[in-house]
Amino acid sequence: MIDAVIGLLDKVRKLATEFVPHVDTAGALKWVGIILAVLVLVYVVLLLISGNRLQGAYAALEDAGRPMRLEDIVPPEMPDFDNAALLYQSAALRLRSVRVETETEPTTLSSRLGVLLKQDERSPDQQAEMRQLLNLPEVGDALELLEEAGARPGCRYDLDYTLGFDLRLEHLQEMRRCARLLRARAQHLAAAGDAASAWQDVITGLRMAEALSEEPVLISQLVRVAITAELLDLTGHVSAAGLPGPEQARTLDAILDRLAAASFVASVDGERMLGGDWAFALPSAELLNLMSDANVDPSLADRLVGLLWIKPILQADKAVYLQTMKAHTDMLAGTVSEDDRHAARALEEDFPWYAVVTRMITPALSSIRTRQLEGLARIRLTRAGLAIVRYQEENGALPARGD
């Protein structure tokens, strides 16, 4: 319907261009009045249509039980003695407070570890440096804080969710680095034959991943999946040194259960409120800056911002955005299917021409679904692999096909 009305506007413009030059002044004024009346009528019709569409999109979200206010998605306050985030912050601060010498210049222990831990393959000199750093008392203190944090029942970072896209998430880099530090120590412990301690570091790292599961932010959930993947990929190496003990196995199973059940749904709701509502409320100048950051062609951006000042267009655009986000939350909350990735990609490729802001701010949710599927597969493979190794250890042979 909106496309049809826009087409009518174009016809009115062409009629004005064709007839106005051929009439006298009185006739010209008459035509101007007619054109203005038509434009006002078209604007009102567009406003009503887009407004109804936007209201319908909001109503569909409410009917589906999706949260509609920012306070509905912000994790609740918790006592300090229950909050693992405080200990994670203390561990990161401990690593940042120590200066170490490198071949080029002094740097913080945290920064140097960050460089070494990012490398999948380390030279003999780097491996020796890594062992030396792992033996520093400050690293030992930080790792003890991480293990203590894993025993706490909750984790809540003090984030200002009212900042929208400007929300500061420095803690994610710190948590990723600490998890990699645990992974590195687990590798060294397994190589030294200390399987029990290595498994404890794996469990502590997985608890760090689990700690992010309540944050209603997509990137937090992506970091959760990434930390989980890095630690689970290490389990084969640690298993070669020895299997987890009975208590560790039960703890590991419980954590993997919770990680498998962790969802991206709340984070997509968060993205809708933190990013979507914020972006659609931006003044035109700030919207232009956002387009520039998104690498939209400057001349095109200028024209689009002018177009988006037309309220009906902006309302129709936001309705498309809300419908898209609802479709993705429905998909993420449903039964896992390989077809979901194709369906999610189709949603992202089927935006109408006027959905400018939607196209710019909608995250690549098809890749989110892929990450979710890969994460579930990795958890299932890890459990199956551990079960097979345990069976072989207890029975002296691999299980028969029917076992």
Side-chain angles (χ1 to χ4, degrees):
M1 181 64 182
I2 288 180
D3 288 335
V5 177
I6 295 293
L8 178 60
L9 271 174
D10 191 52
K11 289 181 180 178
V12 170
R13 180 187 60 78
K14 289 179 179 178
L15 283 172
T17 302
E18 181 178 350
F19 288 106
V20 168
H22 304 292
V23 297
D24 57 22
T25 302
L29 290 174
K30 176 182 176 182
W31 274 106
V32 168
I34 292 173
I35 291 171
L36 287 176
V38 170
L39 289 175
V40 170
L41 178 62
V42 168
Y43 181 87
V44 171
V45 170
L46 280 173
L47 194 63
L48 290 173
I49 293 172
S50 62
N52 287 335
R53 188 174 293 181
L54 183 58
Q55 289 177 3
Y58 274 119
L61 285 167
E62 289 190 73
D63 291 344
R66 304 315 319 153
M68 304 302 294
R69 301 175 305 165
L70 190 60
E71 52 265 36
D72 294 334
I73 64 167
V74 174
E77 300 277 350
M78 67 175 60
D80 287 352
F81 56 80
D82 284 340
N83 192 358
L86 302 179
L87 293 178
Y88 290 138
Q89 289 173 321
S90 296
L93 182 62
R94 189 80 176 108
L95 297 175
R96 288 200 305 271
S97 65
V98 179
R99 304 289 292 182
V100 295
E101 296 291 332
T102 66
E103 293 179 357
T104 55
E105 60 183 357
T107 186
T108 66
L109 174 58
S110 178
S111 296
R112 186 55 187 161
L113 284 169
V115 171
L116 293 173
L117 292 169
K118 283 182 180 178
Q119 298 171 351
D120 293 328
E121 298 291 335
R122 302 186 189 101
S123 68
D125 288 345
Q126 289 173 332
Q127 291 175 3
E129 183 184 2
M130 191 75 234
R131 285 192 295 270
Q132 182 182 2
L133 294 179
L134 286 173
N135 288 325
L136 289 175
E138 293 84 1
V139 172
D141 292 343
L143 290 169
E144 285 182 13
L145 286 169
L146 296 179
E147 188 168 350
E148 184 182 347
R152 292 195 172 182
C155 181
R156 185 187 188 277
Y157 282 89
D158 188 19
L159 305 177
D160 186 357
Y161 290 96
T162 63
L163 293 175
F165 277 162
D166 291 330
L167 177 65
R168 301 178 68 84
L169 299 168
E170 290 94 342
H171 67 292
L172 296 180
Q173 182 180 14
E174 293 176 346
M175 292 193 78
R176 186 85 183 265
R177 185 171 296 169
C178 287
R180 284 174 170 166
L181 181 59
L182 285 162
R183 184 181 189 275
R185 190 173 73 166
Q187 283 180 306
H188 285 280
L189 289 169
D194 188 355
S197 297
W199 279 114
Q200 190 56 49
D201 280 350
V202 170
I203 288 170
T204 300
L206 290 174
R207 281 176 168 152
M208 289 189 72
E210 186 186 0
L212 293 171
S213 60
E214 297 302 317
E215 284 191 5
V217 185
L218 269 178
I219 191 168
S220 298
Q221 299 314 306
L222 291 173
V223 171
R224 166 180 62 81
V225 170
I227 291 174
T228 302
E230 288 182 351
L231 288 157
L232 293 186
D233 287 347
L234 183 65
T235 54
H237 177 72
V238 179
S239 296
L243 290 171
E247 183 61 32
Q248 287 180 324
R250 284 190 291 272
T251 301
L252 187 59
D253 272 343
I255 295 173
L256 291 178
D257 276 340
R258 293 191 293 269
L259 286 171
S263 172
F264 280 91
V265 172
S267 65
V268 175
D269 285 327
E271 198 77 15
R272 167 171 52 84
M273 283 179 273
L274 295 172
D277 290 346
W278 175 83
F280 278 99
L282 284 176
S284 60
E286 293 184 36
L287 187 57
L288 189 60
N289 290 335
L290 184 63
M291 288 184 176
S292 176
D293 293 341
N295 296 321
V296 176
D297 178 75
S299 60
L300 175 62
D302 283 331
R303 293 197 298 272
L304 292 176
V305 168
L307 180 64
L308 289 171
W309 265 115
I310 303 174
K311 187 175 180 180
I313 299 296
L314 193 60
Q315 286 188 157
D317 191 349
K318 189 170 184 180
V320 172
Y321 175 78
L322 296 178
Q323 291 163 355
T324 301
M325 298 302 276
K326 179 184 179 298
H328 280 293
T329 53
D330 291 346
M331 186 180 301
L332 289 166
T335 304
V336 174
S337 167
E338 278 291 326
D339 295 333
D340 289 349
R341 286 181 291 185
H342 305 296
R345 194 171 294 113
L347 283 172
E348 294 163 12
E349 294 172 352
D350 196 26
F351 295 137
W353 65 267
Y354 53 82
V356 179
V357 180
T358 297
R359 187 175 290 106
M360 182 174 59
I361 68 173
T362 299
L365 291 169
S366 59
S367 65
I368 301 298
R369 189 55 160 169
T370 299
R371 299 285 182 87
Q372 184 186 37
L373 292 170
E374 290 174 350
L376 287 172
R378 185 174 274 107
I379 288 172
R380 291 169 182 169
L381 285 171
T382 299
R383 298 180 110 164
L386 288 173
I388 291 172
V389 172
R390 185 173 296 281
Y391 184 97
Q392 184 180 25
E393 185 178 80
E394 293 174 353
N395 297 277
L398 292 172
R401 195 180 189 89
D403 287 353

PDB file of all heavy atoms in Angstrom, residues 308 313 316-317 320-321 351-360:
ATOM      1  N   LEU A 308      13.974  10.324   5.454  1.00  0.00           N
ATOM      2  CA  LEU A 308      13.539   9.776   6.740  1.00  0.00           C
ATOM      3  C   LEU A 308      12.900  10.821   7.639  1.00  0.00           C
ATOM      4  O   LEU A 308      12.285  10.472   8.637  1.00  0.00           O
ATOM      5  CB  LEU A 308      14.740   9.123   7.454  1.00  0.00           C
ATOM      6  CG  LEU A 308      15.218   7.817   6.823  1.00  0.00           C
ATOM      7  CD1 LEU A 308      16.524   7.376   7.455  1.00  0.00           C
ATOM      8  CD2 LEU A 308      14.168   6.735   6.964  1.00  0.00           C
ATOM      9  N   ILE A 313       7.429   7.559   6.483  1.00  0.00           N
ATOM     10  CA  ILE A 313       8.489   6.658   6.024  1.00  0.00           C
ATOM     11  C   ILE A 313       9.228   6.074   7.220  1.00  0.00           C
ATOM     12  O   ILE A 313       9.518   4.874   7.279  1.00  0.00           O
ATOM     13  CB  ILE A 313       9.465   7.402   5.091  1.00  0.00           C
ATOM     14  CG1 ILE A 313       8.746   7.925   3.850  1.00  0.00           C
ATOM     15  CG2 ILE A 313      10.619   6.490   4.700  1.00  0.00           C
ATOM     16  CD1 ILE A 313       8.177   6.845   2.968  1.00  0.00           C
ATOM     17  N   ALA A 316       7.061   3.488   8.954  1.00  0.00           N
ATOM     18  CA  ALA A 316       7.012   2.239   8.197  1.00  0.00           C
ATOM     19  C   ALA A 316       8.327   1.474   8.337  1.00  0.00           C
ATOM     20  O   ALA A 316       8.342   0.242   8.450  1.00  0.00           O
ATOM     21  CB  ALA A 316       6.709   2.527   6.728  1.00  0.00           C
ATOM     22  N   ASP A 317       9.427   2.206   8.330  1.00  0.00           N
ATOM     23  CA  ASP A 317      10.748   1.592   8.509  1.00  0.00           C
ATOM     24  C   ASP A 317      10.838   0.904   9.869  1.00  0.00           C
ATOM     25  O   ASP A 317      11.284  -0.250   9.979  1.00  0.00           O
ATOM     26  CB  ASP A 317      11.809   2.692   8.387  1.00  0.00           C
ATOM     27  CG  ASP A 317      13.227   2.155   8.276  1.00  0.00           C
ATOM     28  OD1 ASP A 317      13.430   0.956   8.504  1.00  0.00           O
ATOM     29  OD2 ASP A 317      14.138   2.946   7.966  1.00  0.00           O
ATOM     30  N   VAL A 320       8.966  -2.349  10.030  1.00  0.00           N
ATOM     31  CA  VAL A 320       9.730  -3.440   9.407  1.00  0.00           C
ATOM     32  C   VAL A 320      10.784  -3.962  10.377  1.00  0.00           C
ATOM     33  O   VAL A 320      10.980  -5.177  10.520  1.00  0.00           O
ATOM     34  CB  VAL A 320      10.387  -2.971   8.098  1.00  0.00           C
ATOM     35  CG1 VAL A 320      11.334  -4.035   7.552  1.00  0.00           C
ATOM     36  CG2 VAL A 320       9.322  -2.651   7.060  1.00  0.00           C
ATOM     37  N   TYR A 321      11.458  -3.038  11.068  1.00  0.00           N
ATOM     38  CA  TYR A 321      12.499  -3.438  12.028  1.00  0.00           C
ATOM     39  C   TYR A 321      11.906  -4.310  13.140  1.00  0.00           C
ATOM     40  O   TYR A 321      12.452  -5.381  13.464  1.00  0.00           O
ATOM     41  CB  TYR A 321      13.149  -2.197  12.620  1.00  0.00           C
ATOM     42  CG  TYR A 321      14.157  -2.498  13.699  1.00  0.00           C
ATOM     43  CD1 TYR A 321      15.428  -2.943  13.375  1.00  0.00           C
ATOM     44  CD2 TYR A 321      13.832  -2.346  15.041  1.00  0.00           C
ATOM     45  CE1 TYR A 321      16.361  -3.239  14.363  1.00  0.00           C
ATOM     46  CE2 TYR A 321      14.751  -2.634  16.032  1.00  0.00           C
ATOM     47  CZ  TYR A 321      16.014  -3.079  15.691  1.00  0.00           C
ATOM     48  OH  TYR A 321      16.920  -3.376  16.672  1.00  0.00           O
ATOM     49  N   PHE A 351      14.142  -6.854   2.802  1.00  0.00           N
ATOM     50  CA  PHE A 351      13.677  -5.578   3.308  1.00  0.00           C
ATOM     51  C   PHE A 351      13.103  -4.736   2.174  1.00  0.00           C
ATOM     52  O   PHE A 351      13.679  -4.687   1.081  1.00  0.00           O
ATOM     53  CB  PHE A 351      14.817  -4.786   3.965  1.00  0.00           C
ATOM     54  CG  PHE A 351      15.379  -5.444   5.204  1.00  0.00           C
ATOM     55  CD1 PHE A 351      16.743  -5.482   5.414  1.00  0.00           C
ATOM     56  CD2 PHE A 351      14.542  -6.011   6.146  1.00  0.00           C
ATOM     57  CE1 PHE A 351      17.276  -6.062   6.549  1.00  0.00           C
ATOM     58  CE2 PHE A 351      15.064  -6.604   7.287  1.00  0.00           C
ATOM     59  CZ  PHE A 351      16.424  -6.634   7.491  1.00  0.00           C
ATOM     60  N   PRO A 352      11.987  -4.028   2.400  1.00  0.00           N
ATOM     61  CA  PRO A 352      11.483  -3.094   1.377  1.00  0.00           C
ATOM     62  C   PRO A 352      12.440  -1.917   1.210  1.00  0.00           C
ATOM     63  O   PRO A 352      13.278  -1.638   2.069  1.00  0.00           O
ATOM     64  CB  PRO A 352      10.133  -2.643   1.956  1.00  0.00           C
ATOM     65  CG  PRO A 352      10.206  -2.926   3.412  1.00  0.00           C
ATOM     66  CD  PRO A 352      11.114  -4.098   3.583  1.00  0.00           C
ATOM     67  N   TRP A 353      12.300  -1.196   0.108  1.00  0.00           N
ATOM     68  CA  TRP A 353      13.253  -0.134  -0.235  1.00  0.00           C
ATOM     69  C   TRP A 353      13.337   0.949   0.821  1.00  0.00           C
ATOM     70  O   TRP A 353      14.381   1.578   1.004  1.00  0.00           O
ATOM     71  CB  TRP A 353      12.890   0.482  -1.582  1.00  0.00           C
ATOM     72  CG  TRP A 353      11.570   1.209  -1.582  1.00  0.00           C
ATOM     73  CD1 TRP A 353      10.355   0.700  -1.911  1.00  0.00           C
ATOM     74  CD2 TRP A 353      11.354   2.576  -1.235  1.00  0.00           C
ATOM     75  NE1 TRP A 353       9.376   1.649  -1.780  1.00  0.00           N
ATOM     76  CE2 TRP A 353       9.967   2.816  -1.366  1.00  0.00           C
ATOM     77  CE3 TRP A 353      12.172   3.615  -0.814  1.00  0.00           C
ATOM     78  CZ2 TRP A 353       9.380   4.053  -1.095  1.00  0.00           C
ATOM     79  CZ3 TRP A 353      11.596   4.858  -0.537  1.00  0.00           C
ATOM     80  CH2 TRP A 353      10.221   5.062  -0.683  1.00  0.00           C
ATOM     81  N   TYR A 354      12.213   1.232   1.513  1.00  0.00           N
ATOM     82  CA  TYR A 354      12.191   2.349   2.449  1.00  0.00           C
ATOM     83  C   TYR A 354      12.744   1.970   3.834  1.00  0.00           C
ATOM     84  O   TYR A 354      12.864   2.831   4.706  1.00  0.00           O
ATOM     85  CB  TYR A 354      10.757   2.896   2.608  1.00  0.00           C
ATOM     86  CG  TYR A 354       9.737   1.839   2.979  1.00  0.00           C
ATOM     87  CD1 TYR A 354       9.570   1.424   4.299  1.00  0.00           C
ATOM     88  CD2 TYR A 354       8.944   1.250   2.006  1.00  0.00           C
ATOM     89  CE1 TYR A 354       8.642   0.455   4.633  1.00  0.00           C
ATOM     90  CE2 TYR A 354       8.017   0.279   2.328  1.00  0.00           C
ATOM     91  CZ  TYR A 354       7.872  -0.110   3.644  1.00  0.00           C
ATOM     92  OH  TYR A 354       6.958  -1.082   3.973  1.00  0.00           O
ATOM     93  N   ALA A 355      13.095   0.704   4.050  1.00  0.00           N
ATOM     94  CA  ALA A 355      13.587   0.258   5.362  1.00  0.00           C
ATOM     95  C   ALA A 355      15.079   0.562   5.499  1.00  0.00           C
ATOM     96  O   ALA A 355      15.909  -0.336   5.653  1.00  0.00           O
ATOM     97  CB  ALA A 355      13.295  -1.226   5.553  1.00  0.00           C
ATOM     98  N   VAL A 356      15.419   1.846   5.435  1.00  0.00           N
ATOM     99  CA  VAL A 356      16.821   2.268   5.412  1.00  0.00           C
ATOM    100  C   VAL A 356      17.499   2.014   6.759  1.00  0.00           C
ATOM    101  O   VAL A 356      18.563   1.403   6.834  1.00  0.00           O
ATOM    102  CB  VAL A 356      16.913   3.764   5.034  1.00  0.00           C
ATOM    103  CG1 VAL A 356      18.369   4.210   5.024  1.00  0.00           C
ATOM    104  CG2 VAL A 356      16.253   4.014   3.693  1.00  0.00           C
ATOM    105  N   VAL A 357      16.885   2.496   7.835  1.00  0.00           N
ATOM    106  CA  VAL A 357      17.468   2.318   9.162  1.00  0.00           C
ATOM    107  C   VAL A 357      17.467   0.839   9.546  1.00  0.00           C
ATOM    108  O   VAL A 357      18.429   0.332  10.126  1.00  0.00           O
ATOM    109  CB  VAL A 357      16.713   3.162  10.203  1.00  0.00           C
ATOM    110  CG1 VAL A 357      17.332   2.984  11.590  1.00  0.00           C
ATOM    111  CG2 VAL A 357      16.732   4.635   9.816  1.00  0.00           C
ATOM    112  N   THR A 358      16.412   0.141   9.205  1.00  0.00           N
ATOM    113  CA  THR A 358      16.343  -1.297   9.491  1.00  0.00           C
ATOM    114  C   THR A 358      17.516  -2.029   8.869  1.00  0.00           C
ATOM    115  O   THR A 358      18.184  -2.841   9.519  1.00  0.00           O
ATOM    116  CB  THR A 358      15.025  -1.882   8.950  1.00  0.00           C
ATOM    117  OG1 THR A 358      13.932  -1.272   9.623  1.00  0.00           O
ATOM    118  CG2 THR A 358      14.976  -3.393   9.160  1.00  0.00           C
ATOM    119  N   ARG A 359      17.772  -1.750   7.606  1.00  0.00           N
ATOM    120  CA  ARG A 359      18.864  -2.423   6.900  1.00  0.00           C
ATOM    121  C   ARG A 359      20.211  -2.093   7.539  1.00  0.00           C
ATOM    122  O   ARG A 359      21.117  -2.926   7.570  1.00  0.00           O
ATOM    123  CB  ARG A 359      18.846  -2.002   5.432  1.00  0.00           C
ATOM    124  CG  ARG A 359      19.816  -2.763   4.546  1.00  0.00           C
ATOM    125  CD  ARG A 359      19.649  -2.365   3.096  1.00  0.00           C
ATOM    126  NE  ARG A 359      18.395  -2.851   2.538  1.00  0.00           N
ATOM    127  CZ  ARG A 359      17.327  -2.084   2.288  1.00  0.00           C
ATOM    128  NH1 ARG A 359      17.364  -0.795   2.567  1.00  0.00           N
ATOM    129  NH2 ARG A 359      16.230  -2.589   1.783  1.00  0.00           N
ATOM    130  N   MET A 360      20.327  -0.890   8.084  1.00  0.00           N
ATOM    131  CA  MET A 360      21.600  -0.431   8.624  1.00  0.00           C
ATOM    132  C   MET A 360      21.874  -1.005  10.019  1.00  0.00           C
ATOM    133  O   MET A 360      23.013  -1.350  10.331  1.00  0.00           O
ATOM    134  CB  MET A 360      21.607   1.092   8.676  1.00  0.00           C
ATOM    135  CG  MET A 360      22.893   1.711   9.164  1.00  0.00           C
ATOM    136  SD  MET A 360      22.834   3.508   9.007  1.00  0.00           S
ATOM    137  CE  MET A 360      21.400   3.900  10.011  1.00  0.00           C
TER     138      MET A 360
END
